[in-house]
PDB file of all heavy atoms in Angstrom:
ATOM      1  N   ALA H  23     -23.381  -8.675  13.248  1.00  0.00           N
ATOM      2  CA  ALA H  23     -23.234  -7.807  14.374  1.00  0.00           C
ATOM      3  C   ALA H  23     -23.340  -6.320  14.047  1.00  0.00           C
ATOM      4  O   ALA H  23     -23.342  -5.559  14.934  1.00  0.00           O
ATOM      5  CB  ALA H  23     -21.848  -8.170  15.002  1.00  0.00           C
ATOM      6  N   ILE H  54       1.192  -9.803  -1.048  1.00  0.00           N
ATOM      7  CA  ILE H  54       2.399 -10.125  -1.858  1.00  0.00           C
ATOM      8  C   ILE H  54       3.667  -9.588  -1.145  1.00  0.00           C
ATOM      9  O   ILE H  54       4.639 -10.237  -0.970  1.00  0.00           O
ATOM     10  CB  ILE H  54       2.350  -9.543  -3.295  1.00  0.00           C
ATOM     11  CG1 ILE H  54       1.192 -10.060  -4.056  1.00  0.00           C
ATOM     12  CG2 ILE H  54       3.640  -9.794  -4.045  1.00  0.00           C
ATOM     13  CD1 ILE H  54       0.960  -9.479  -5.402  1.00  0.00           C
ATOM     14  N   GLY H  77      -4.136 -11.870  16.694  1.00  0.00           N
ATOM     15  CA  GLY H  77      -4.587 -12.085  18.045  1.00  0.00           C
ATOM     16  C   GLY H  77      -4.686 -10.855  18.877  1.00  0.00           C
ATOM     17  O   GLY H  77      -5.713 -10.530  19.421  1.00  0.00           O
ATOM     18  N   GLY H  94      -9.158   0.556  13.400  1.00  0.00           N
ATOM     19  CA  GLY H  94      -7.713   0.355  13.393  1.00  0.00           C
ATOM     20  C   GLY H  94      -7.461  -1.070  13.714  1.00  0.00           C
ATOM     21  O   GLY H  94      -6.456  -1.775  13.178  1.00  0.00           O
ATOM     22  N   ALA H 105       0.484 -11.387   6.578  1.00  0.00           N
ATOM     23  CA  ALA H 105       1.726 -12.064   6.968  1.00  0.00           C
ATOM     24  C   ALA H 105       1.585 -13.495   6.948  1.00  0.00           C
ATOM     25  O   ALA H 105       2.453 -14.254   6.575  1.00  0.00           O
ATOM     26  CB  ALA H 105       2.162 -11.521   8.366  1.00  0.00           C
ATOM     27  N   MET H 106       0.409 -14.052   7.502  1.00  0.00           N
ATOM     28  CA  MET H 106       0.298 -15.533   7.624  1.00  0.00           C
ATOM     29  C   MET H 106      -0.098 -16.304   6.451  1.00  0.00           C
ATOM     30  O   MET H 106       0.256 -17.371   6.218  1.00  0.00           O
ATOM     31  CB  MET H 106      -0.680 -15.853   8.801  1.00  0.00           C
ATOM     32  CG  MET H 106      -2.104 -15.648   8.488  1.00  0.00           C
ATOM     33  SD  MET H 106      -3.179 -16.116   9.894  1.00  0.00           S
ATOM     34  CE  MET H 106      -3.103 -14.685  10.826  1.00  0.00           C
ATOM     35  N   SER H 115       2.615 -25.965   0.261  1.00  0.00           N
ATOM     36  CA  SER H 115       3.310 -26.393  -1.004  1.00  0.00           C
ATOM     37  C   SER H 115       4.358 -27.346  -0.658  1.00  0.00           C
ATOM     38  O   SER H 115       4.671 -28.322  -1.314  1.00  0.00           O
ATOM     39  CB  SER H 115       3.835 -25.170  -1.730  1.00  0.00           C
ATOM     40  OG  SER H 115       4.567 -25.637  -2.875  1.00  0.00           O
ATOM     41  N   ARG H 123       0.027 -31.246  -5.048  1.00  0.00           N
ATOM     42  CA  ARG H 123      -0.007 -29.839  -4.709  1.00  0.00           C
ATOM     43  C   ARG H 123      -1.133 -29.119  -5.268  1.00  0.00           C
ATOM     44  O   ARG H 123      -1.800 -28.294  -4.595  1.00  0.00           O
ATOM     45  CB  ARG H 123       1.364 -29.174  -5.262  1.00  0.00           C
ATOM     46  CG  ARG H 123       1.491 -27.793  -4.934  1.00  0.00           C
ATOM     47  CD  ARG H 123       2.924 -27.234  -5.226  1.00  0.00           C
ATOM     48  NE  ARG H 123       3.896 -28.038  -4.510  1.00  0.00           N
ATOM     49  CZ  ARG H 123       5.233 -27.967  -4.889  1.00  0.00           C
ATOM     50  NH1 ARG H 123       5.614 -27.271  -5.863  1.00  0.00           N
ATOM     51  NH2 ARG H 123       6.053 -28.697  -4.159  1.00  0.00           N
ATOM     52  N   PHE H 130      -7.250 -25.468  -0.247  1.00  0.00           N
ATOM     53  CA  PHE H 130      -6.917 -24.153   0.357  1.00  0.00           C
ATOM     54  C   PHE H 130      -7.808 -23.056  -0.087  1.00  0.00           C
ATOM     55  O   PHE H 130      -8.382 -22.261   0.755  1.00  0.00           O
ATOM     56  CB  PHE H 130      -5.451 -23.773  -0.023  1.00  0.00           C
ATOM     57  CG  PHE H 130      -4.905 -22.527   0.673  1.00  0.00           C
ATOM     58  CD1 PHE H 130      -4.180 -22.521   1.779  1.00  0.00           C
ATOM     59  CD2 PHE H 130      -5.131 -21.277   0.048  1.00  0.00           C
ATOM     60  CE1 PHE H 130      -3.805 -21.334   2.374  1.00  0.00           C
ATOM     61  CE2 PHE H 130      -4.662 -20.171   0.616  1.00  0.00           C
ATOM     62  CZ  PHE H 130      -3.997 -20.180   1.776  1.00  0.00           C
ATOM     63  N   MET H 134     -10.819 -20.903   2.087  1.00  0.00           N
ATOM     64  CA  MET H 134     -10.827 -19.447   2.148  1.00  0.00           C
ATOM     65  C   MET H 134     -12.272 -19.034   1.629  1.00  0.00           C
ATOM     66  O   MET H 134     -12.831 -18.108   2.266  1.00  0.00           O
ATOM     67  CB  MET H 134      -9.834 -18.842   1.199  1.00  0.00           C
ATOM     68  CG  MET H 134      -8.398 -18.971   1.697  1.00  0.00           C
ATOM     69  SD  MET H 134      -7.988 -17.815   3.115  1.00  0.00           S
ATOM     70  CE  MET H 134      -7.979 -16.356   2.140  1.00  0.00           C
ATOM     71  N   MET H 158     -14.927 -10.820  17.840  1.00  0.00           N
ATOM     72  CA  MET H 158     -13.525 -10.416  17.933  1.00  0.00           C
ATOM     73  C   MET H 158     -12.726 -11.334  18.797  1.00  0.00           C
ATOM     74  O   MET H 158     -11.615 -11.848  18.447  1.00  0.00           O
ATOM     75  CB  MET H 158     -13.357  -8.989  18.249  1.00  0.00           C
ATOM     76  CG  MET H 158     -13.985  -7.959  17.258  1.00  0.00           C
ATOM     77  SD  MET H 158     -13.258  -7.856  15.669  1.00  0.00           S
ATOM     78  CE  MET H 158     -11.816  -7.049  15.965  1.00  0.00           C
ATOM     79  N   PHE H 174       4.137 -27.715  15.710  1.00  0.00           N
ATOM     80  CA  PHE H 174       4.393 -29.143  15.580  1.00  0.00           C
ATOM     81  C   PHE H 174       4.335 -29.599  14.107  1.00  0.00           C
ATOM     82  O   PHE H 174       4.587 -30.808  13.780  1.00  0.00           O
ATOM     83  CB  PHE H 174       3.314 -29.928  16.305  1.00  0.00           C
ATOM     84  CG  PHE H 174       3.569 -29.878  17.832  1.00  0.00           C
ATOM     85  CD1 PHE H 174       2.881 -29.002  18.713  1.00  0.00           C
ATOM     86  CD2 PHE H 174       4.397 -30.780  18.460  1.00  0.00           C
ATOM     87  CE1 PHE H 174       3.048 -28.968  19.993  1.00  0.00           C
ATOM     88  CE2 PHE H 174       4.713 -30.726  19.722  1.00  0.00           C
ATOM     89  CZ  PHE H 174       3.980 -29.866  20.574  1.00  0.00           C
ATOM     90  N   GLN H 204     -11.716   4.773  -0.513  1.00  0.00           N
ATOM     91  CA  GLN H 204     -12.247   5.877   0.256  1.00  0.00           C
ATOM     92  C   GLN H 204     -13.105   6.787  -0.687  1.00  0.00           C
ATOM     93  O   GLN H 204     -14.113   7.321  -0.335  1.00  0.00           O
ATOM     94  CB  GLN H 204     -11.163   6.672   0.860  1.00  0.00           C
ATOM     95  CG  GLN H 204     -11.528   7.926   1.634  1.00  0.00           C
ATOM     96  CD  GLN H 204     -12.371   7.607   2.839  1.00  0.00           C
ATOM     97  OE1 GLN H 204     -12.620   6.456   3.171  1.00  0.00           O
ATOM     98  NE2 GLN H 204     -12.959   8.653   3.482  1.00  0.00           N
ATOM     99  N   ALA H 224      -3.139   7.441  -9.345  1.00  0.00           N
ATOM    100  CA  ALA H 224      -1.751   7.874  -9.590  1.00  0.00           C
ATOM    101  C   ALA H 224      -0.795   7.063  -8.800  1.00  0.00           C
ATOM    102  O   ALA H 224       0.230   6.610  -9.263  1.00  0.00           O
ATOM    103  CB  ALA H 224      -1.597   9.335  -9.166  1.00  0.00           C
ATOM    104  N   ALA H 257     -11.711 -14.133 -12.426  1.00  0.00           N
ATOM    105  CA  ALA H 257     -12.748 -14.794 -11.740  1.00  0.00           C
ATOM    106  C   ALA H 257     -12.664 -14.659 -10.257  1.00  0.00           C
ATOM    107  O   ALA H 257     -13.616 -14.395  -9.497  1.00  0.00           O
ATOM    108  CB  ALA H 257     -12.725 -16.298 -12.035  1.00  0.00           C
ATOM    109  N   LEU H 276     -32.223  -9.308   5.936  1.00  0.00           N
ATOM    110  CA  LEU H 276     -33.024 -10.350   6.756  1.00  0.00           C
ATOM    111  C   LEU H 276     -33.222  -9.812   8.140  1.00  0.00           C
ATOM    112  O   LEU H 276     -34.297 -10.067   8.736  1.00  0.00           O
ATOM    113  CB  LEU H 276     -32.331 -11.695   6.637  1.00  0.00           C
ATOM    114  CG  LEU H 276     -32.255 -12.378   5.381  1.00  0.00           C
ATOM    115  CD1 LEU H 276     -31.399 -13.486   5.386  1.00  0.00           C
ATOM    116  CD2 LEU H 276     -33.687 -12.694   4.973  1.00  0.00           C
ATOM    117  N   PRO H 314     -10.858 -26.926 -16.957  1.00  0.00           N
ATOM    118  CA  PRO H 314     -10.953 -25.941 -15.862  1.00  0.00           C
ATOM    119  C   PRO H 314     -11.459 -24.507 -16.258  1.00  0.00           C
ATOM    120  O   PRO H 314     -12.200 -23.967 -15.452  1.00  0.00           O
ATOM    121  CB  PRO H 314      -9.401 -25.911 -15.396  1.00  0.00           C
ATOM    122  CG  PRO H 314      -8.930 -27.265 -15.819  1.00  0.00           C
ATOM    123  CD  PRO H 314      -9.634 -27.626 -17.080  1.00  0.00           C
ATOM    124  N   ALA H 323     -21.147 -17.903 -14.411  1.00  0.00           N
ATOM    125  CA  ALA H 323     -22.505 -17.690 -14.860  1.00  0.00           C
ATOM    126  C   ALA H 323     -23.525 -17.969 -13.761  1.00  0.00           C
ATOM    127  O   ALA H 323     -24.478 -17.148 -13.562  1.00  0.00           O
ATOM    128  CB  ALA H 323     -22.806 -18.593 -16.081  1.00  0.00           C
ATOM    129  N   GLY H 328     -27.193 -15.514  -9.769  1.00  0.00           N
ATOM    130  CA  GLY H 328     -27.623 -15.378  -8.367  1.00  0.00           C
ATOM    131  C   GLY H 328     -27.688 -13.770  -8.134  1.00  0.00           C
ATOM    132  O   GLY H 328     -28.531 -13.288  -7.489  1.00  0.00           O
ATOM    133  N   LEU H 346     -28.291 -17.332  -2.922  1.00  0.00           N
ATOM    134  CA  LEU H 346     -27.166 -18.044  -2.115  1.00  0.00           C
ATOM    135  C   LEU H 346     -26.924 -19.525  -2.666  1.00  0.00           C
ATOM    136  O   LEU H 346     -25.759 -19.892  -2.719  1.00  0.00           O
ATOM    137  CB  LEU H 346     -27.460 -18.171  -0.561  1.00  0.00           C
ATOM    138  CG  LEU H 346     -27.498 -16.846   0.154  1.00  0.00           C
ATOM    139  CD1 LEU H 346     -28.024 -17.018   1.547  1.00  0.00           C
ATOM    140  CD2 LEU H 346     -26.101 -16.205   0.157  1.00  0.00           C
ATOM    141  N   MET H 357     -13.744 -21.636  -7.458  1.00  0.00           N
ATOM    142  CA  MET H 357     -12.688 -21.529  -6.512  1.00  0.00           C
ATOM    143  C   MET H 357     -11.628 -22.666  -6.728  1.00  0.00           C
ATOM    144  O   MET H 357     -10.493 -22.433  -6.873  1.00  0.00           O
ATOM    145  CB  MET H 357     -13.162 -21.651  -5.038  1.00  0.00           C
ATOM    146  CG  MET H 357     -13.906 -20.362  -4.673  1.00  0.00           C
ATOM    147  SD  MET H 357     -12.975 -18.818  -4.904  1.00  0.00           S
ATOM    148  CE  MET H 357     -11.853 -18.904  -3.492  1.00  0.00           C
ATOM    149  N   ALA H 360      -9.973 -22.167 -10.315  1.00  0.00           N
ATOM    150  CA  ALA H 360      -9.184 -20.924 -10.535  1.00  0.00           C
ATOM    151  C   ALA H 360      -7.884 -21.090  -9.586  1.00  0.00           C
ATOM    152  O   ALA H 360      -6.848 -20.666 -10.139  1.00  0.00           O
ATOM    153  CB  ALA H 360     -10.038 -19.780 -10.011  1.00  0.00           C
ATOM    154  N   GLN H 383      -8.520 -11.626  -4.985  1.00  0.00           N
ATOM    155  CA  GLN H 383      -9.735 -12.135  -4.235  1.00  0.00           C
ATOM    156  C   GLN H 383     -10.141 -11.127  -3.125  1.00  0.00           C
ATOM    157  O   GLN H 383     -11.221 -10.733  -2.942  1.00  0.00           O
ATOM    158  CB  GLN H 383      -9.515 -13.519  -3.770  1.00  0.00           C
ATOM    159  CG  GLN H 383     -10.664 -14.083  -2.992  1.00  0.00           C
ATOM    160  CD  GLN H 383     -10.339 -15.514  -2.500  1.00  0.00           C
ATOM    161  OE1 GLN H 383      -9.592 -16.203  -3.123  1.00  0.00           O
ATOM    162  NE2 GLN H 383     -10.804 -15.864  -1.372  1.00  0.00           N
ATOM    163  N   GLN H 422     -13.185 -19.233 -24.419  1.00  0.00           N
ATOM    164  CA  GLN H 422     -11.695 -19.379 -24.406  1.00  0.00           C
ATOM    165  C   GLN H 422     -11.315 -20.680 -25.135  1.00  0.00           C
ATOM    166  O   GLN H 422     -11.689 -21.852 -24.734  1.00  0.00           O
ATOM    167  CB  GLN H 422     -11.170 -19.327 -23.007  1.00  0.00           C
ATOM    168  CG  GLN H 422      -9.653 -19.567 -22.935  1.00  0.00           C
ATOM    169  CD  GLN H 422      -8.867 -18.430 -23.430  1.00  0.00           C
ATOM    170  OE1 GLN H 422      -9.380 -17.218 -23.375  1.00  0.00           O
ATOM    171  NE2 GLN H 422      -7.671 -18.579 -23.977  1.00  0.00           N
ATOM    172  N   SER H 432      12.578 -19.581 -15.852  1.00  0.00           N
ATOM    173  CA  SER H 432      13.242 -18.586 -14.947  1.00  0.00           C
ATOM    174  C   SER H 432      14.115 -17.694 -15.719  1.00  0.00           C
ATOM    175  O   SER H 432      14.857 -18.063 -16.520  1.00  0.00           O
ATOM    176  CB  SER H 432      14.008 -19.296 -13.826  1.00  0.00           C
ATOM    177  OG  SER H 432      14.656 -18.236 -13.071  1.00  0.00           O
ATOM    178  N   THR H 433      13.933 -16.348 -15.582  1.00  0.00           N
ATOM    179  CA  THR H 433      14.803 -15.421 -16.239  1.00  0.00           C
ATOM    180  C   THR H 433      15.712 -14.666 -15.264  1.00  0.00           C
ATOM    181  O   THR H 433      16.424 -13.708 -15.632  1.00  0.00           O
ATOM    182  CB  THR H 433      13.953 -14.364 -17.021  1.00  0.00           C
ATOM    183  OG1 THR H 433      13.030 -13.795 -16.030  1.00  0.00           O
ATOM    184  CG2 THR H 433      13.129 -15.047 -18.185  1.00  0.00           C
ATOM    185  N   ALA H 438      24.444 -15.912  -5.860  1.00  0.00           N
ATOM    186  CA  ALA H 438      25.688 -16.567  -5.342  1.00  0.00           C
ATOM    187  C   ALA H 438      25.473 -17.048  -3.997  1.00  0.00           C
ATOM    188  O   ALA H 438      24.783 -16.414  -3.134  1.00  0.00           O
ATOM    189  CB  ALA H 438      26.897 -15.583  -5.280  1.00  0.00           C
TER     190      ALA H 438
END
Side-chain angles (χ1 to χ4, degrees):
I54 300 175
M106 74 176 82
S115 179
R123 186 170 297 167
F130 183 92
M134 291 286 287
M158 298 293 285
F174 286 96
Q204 179 66 9
L276 290 172
L346 290 173
M357 293 302 286
Q383 178 183 326
Q422 178 66 32
S432 176
T433 58

